[in-house]
Amino acid sequence: MTDLVSAPNTGAQDVVAEGAAPTVPLTGALPPSDGSAHVEWAPNEPAPKKRRLGLWIGIGAGALLLAAAGASTILIAPGTTVAGIPVGGMTVGMAADAISSHLADTEIVLTGSGADATVNGASLGVEADAKALADQAFSAHPMWNLGSWAGEPIKADITLDPTAADRSLRAAVPAAFKDGSDAVVAFDAKTGKYTVTAAVDGSGIDLDALSKAFVAAVADGKTSTDFEAASIPVAADITTDEANAAAEKLNKMLGTIGFYVGKERTVPVAPAVAATWLTVTPVDGDLVIDADAGAIQKTVATLPKSVDRAAVNATTVVDSNGKVLRSLTKGQTGRALGDTAGIAAAFAAQLGQGNSAYALTVNETPFETTPLYRHAVVDLSQQHAYFYENGKLVRDWAVSTGRPGHETETGSFRIRAHVAKQDMGSASAGYLTPDVPWVTYFNGDQAFHGTYWHNNFGHVMSHGCVNMPISAAKWVYEWAPDGFQVTVQP
């Protein structure tokens, strides 16, 4: 058996077998007293750990630096204000909330005669685009940009809701308000025109001045400011001038209102009827003209009867060259109204724009023209006058032309004038015949005319004119227009 000798237990023990080489150091218990070899293993005491405080301190500072760097990318720079409201160090969302809250909570203390009340931005309907302003603040002054710290203030467009402000102020200071009345435009059946009832101004608190005071208080960093609630004149929403302008426009429309074919007002609309179509309504301080398509439809239903017509052919008197000397029958184009669906609605929309002339679409049928070539022949040898139309003899009479020394001139002439009655001759001419009827001049002072002083027709009798029975002379006077061709042949 190998004897183990143990050194005293001083921690690590050297154990050596007798006669043997030394072994590696072991940690164990003392050998048993009987000398037998016995070894127990026991853990070594752990060596003290090195403290790394500097490392942990370094990690903490780095995290803080990273957090700060991250925050600088989402926060607004210190010293930034929006309309006097501090938003530095805030996110965009926080800044928007701060702006909205500040505006809503800012108070106006109403002072002056009879005023003892306080209103705030919320009750006045103060409005501003807080989100857009916060975005603008961050865009112009981000925290990461040190050069933007305490930069130029962001200006804001702050407004009051007139309706909310008026309601709030009336409740707070009722004595400062007196209601006026708008001008009114109405149709007067007696005159057939639109007339105006003038506006009456009221009184109230100056909202523009109040708005400026509110904005100034916010800009100065105040949460409350005084405002003298003095009563001032307040114009009606619809002034007399605005109503007069609307009435003038409507009355002008009444003068032209109707349904047109071309430039012709084929179906005029009476002012009283038009007034049942039209309404004048105040909308947001303006007078708006509207028209009722249903009322218009009643007139639209009658349009075919008023518009449709057959063509009428024209008849004219012409000379040998085809020149028109007289229109006997005026030609008229035939027409038929097309589909009337949608006319009422379209006219209603048009009237709302101030246009009172509605153009109708019609199918037209052209008329034809019949020319009548008329002329006369006076035959001196036969003492007879012949009147032709398109080559056919229409009428003829025995006549009396100029006697010797006063011959009726031969040649081709044209009628130049018509005189219903006149005296003929003179003292120097040696004769004077009063009240000669139905005188139709064709050659200087020679003319067809009625004769009451003789009945010897078929024989020369005159001083150069063509004497005719009175009834015949009247027929020529009416049948032969100026420019009518007359041939006097031997």
Side-chain angles (χ1 to χ4, degrees), residues 270 327 417 428 486:
S327 176
S428 61
V486 177

Side-chain angles (χ1 to χ4, degrees), residues 285-297:
D286 292 320
L287 287 174
V288 177
I289 299 172
D290 288 313
D292 182 357
I296 296 172
Q297 181 58 39

Side-chain angles (χ1 to χ4, degrees), residues 120-472:
N120 60 18
S123 67
L124 294 172
V126 171
E127 297 177 346
D129 192 341
K131 177 62 168 59
L133 291 170
D135 285 336
Q136 184 181 352
F138 178 73
S139 177
H141 306 293
M143 180 179 283
W144 59 263
N145 184 356
L146 299 181
S148 71
W149 290 28
E152 289 293 322
I154 302 298
K155 295 180 180 180
D157 183 14
I158 300 173
T159 61
L160 303 185
D161 177 359
T163 301
D166 182 78
R167 181 173 57 248
S168 177
L169 293 170
R170 281 177 181 270
V173 195
F177 289 86
K178 179 182 177 182
D179 290 334
S181 59
D182 289 342
V184 176
V185 180
F187 181 75
D188 181 7
K190 291 183 178 179
T191 62
K193 294 183 178 180
Y194 282 89
T195 59
V196 172
T197 301
V200 177
D201 289 344
S203 60
I205 294 175
D206 189 345
L207 290 184
D208 287 339
L210 179 65
S211 178
K212 291 177 181 177
F214 186 95
V215 172
V218 172
D220 290 342
K222 298 178 181 178
T223 59
S224 178
T225 189
D226 292 347
F227 179 78
E228 184 177 359
S231 182
I232 64 168
V234 176
D237 287 341
I238 306 299
T239 67
T240 302
D241 287 344
E242 290 170 334
N244 283 332
E248 182 179 355
K249 180 179 181 179
L250 285 162
N251 288 328
K252 185 176 180 181
M253 291 169 62
L254 292 182
T256 58
I257 191 167
F259 298 89
Y260 287 70
V261 175
K263 294 183 178 181
E264 173 194 272
R265 184 158 60 147
T266 308
V267 183
V269 177
V273 174
T276 66
W277 299 358
L278 302 171
T279 57
V280 186
T281 308
V283 178
D284 296 332
D286 292 320
L287 287 174
V288 177
I289 299 172
D290 288 313
D292 182 357
I296 296 172
Q297 181 58 39
K298 296 177 182 178
T299 300
V300 171
T302 69
L303 289 178
K305 183 178 179 180
S306 301
V307 175
D308 293 356
R309 69 186 185 192
V312 176
N313 290 332
T315 305
T316 59
V317 177
V318 300
D319 64 10
S320 58
N321 297 318
K323 179 181 178 181
V324 176
L325 306 178
R326 177 184 291 171
S327 176
L328 298 180
T329 304
K330 185 177 181 181
Q332 181 174 269
T333 301
R335 64 191 180 201
L337 184 63
D339 185 8
T340 61
I343 288 180
F347 199 10
Q350 188 174 298
L351 288 168
Q353 300 298 318
N355 183 354
S356 59
Y358 188 85
L360 294 172
T361 299
V362 297
N363 299 314
E364 294 188 334
T365 303
F367 63 84
E368 296 180 355
T369 300
T370 301
L372 303 176
Y373 167 44
R374 292 177 177 176
H375 69 286
V377 175
V378 177
D379 192 314
L380 298 181
S381 63
Q382 296 180 11
Q383 288 294 287
H384 214 91
Y386 304 90
F387 295 87
Y388 298 91
E389 183 177 272
N390 286 349
K392 294 178 63 175
L393 180 64
V394 177
R395 300 292 297 271
D396 67 289
W397 287 274
V399 297
S400 294
T401 60
R403 62 180 183 266
H406 299 281
E407 290 83 359
T408 302
E409 294 183 19
T410 59
S412 295
F413 310 99
R414 288 181 182 265
I415 290 175
R416 64 177 184 82
H418 292 72
V419 180
K421 183 184 289 186
Q422 71 175 102
D423 296 342
M424 283 191 168
S426 63
S428 61
Y431 73 96
L432 179 62
T433 307
D435 298 333
V436 178
W438 311 118
V439 183
T440 305
Y441 287 101
F442 61 84
N443 177 27
D445 59 359
Q446 294 185 347
F448 299 103
H449 62 71
T451 307
Y452 60 82
W453 54 91
H454 78 81
N455 196 29
N456 193 26
F457 301 109
H459 304 278
V460 293
M461 293 287 295
S462 76
H463 289 85
C465 289
V466 178
N467 292 180
M468 303 184 75
I470 292 175
S471 60

